[in-house]
Amino acid sequence: MTEYQFYALTTVILFFKMFAISIVQGVGRLNSRTFVTAEDARFFAHAPPAPDEAPIVKRAALAWRNDLENIPIFLFLGLIYVTLGCWPGGVYIYFTIFVIARILHTIAYLNGMQPWRTIFFTVGMFVCVALSIQILSAVL
């Protein structure tokens, strides 16, 4: 598998990971029968809207927001890393570590597992820093 193919695979895996968080939110709403929007409350629960989301839905939303703060940065750095032809082995090592860290971060976030959530977040950030350093070294 080429570095670009591995980048594409990484991107798709991260998409499905984020899509899974959306499923957790939907299932959480259905299982708790808690809907904050009027049309969803009427349609799914035949009840007035709830004043607040169910706890699992809130956690999933926070995990999703954290992904939006981290995954796009990684994807941009990863694309630049591959395009510049930085260390080819790094594509397989760094990208794999990032994907695993983000998956474990989501699991830890959904289950309220500290310090693991912070550890997995930090591992992912270290990958982005390593990519950045190698990109800088390639262009300077």
Side-chain angles (χ1 to χ4, degrees), residues 9-133:
L9 176 63
T10 300
T11 301
V12 170
I13 291 169
L14 290 170
F15 160 75
F16 281 119
K17 186 212 79 62
M18 291 180 74
F19 184 65
I21 295 175
S22 296
I23 292 171
V24 168
Q25 287 178 305
V27 169
R29 287 183 182 111
L30 289 171
N31 286 344
S32 68
R33 302 195 54 76
T34 304
F35 303 92
V36 296
T37 57
E39 66 275 11
D40 290 348
R42 275 192 313 273
F43 184 77
F44 291 108
H46 306 290
D52 204 2
E53 294 279 14
I56 188 63
V57 175
K58 285 182 182 181
R59 281 199 167 274
L62 291 170
W64 175 266
R65 188 177 77 195
N66 191 273
D67 279 350
L68 289 177
E69 295 168 353
N70 291 277
I71 291 175
I73 293 167
F74 166 78
L75 292 175
F76 284 122
L77 290 172
L79 183 59
I80 294 166
Y81 189 91
V82 171
T83 302
L84 286 175
C86 295
W87 176 46
V91 170
Y92 305 102
I93 294 167
Y94 294 137
F95 293 14
T96 300
I97 291 170
F98 185 85
V99 167
I100 291 169
R102 290 310 302 174
I103 291 169
L104 293 174
H105 175 268
T106 296
I107 292 167
Y109 214 131
L110 293 176
N111 292 291
M113 300 165 55
Q114 276 292 20
W116 296 108
R117 186 182 94 210
T118 300
I119 290 168
F120 297 134
F121 169 83
T122 303
V123 168
M125 288 287 33
F126 276 135
V127 168
C128 288
V129 169
L131 293 174
S132 297
I133 290 168

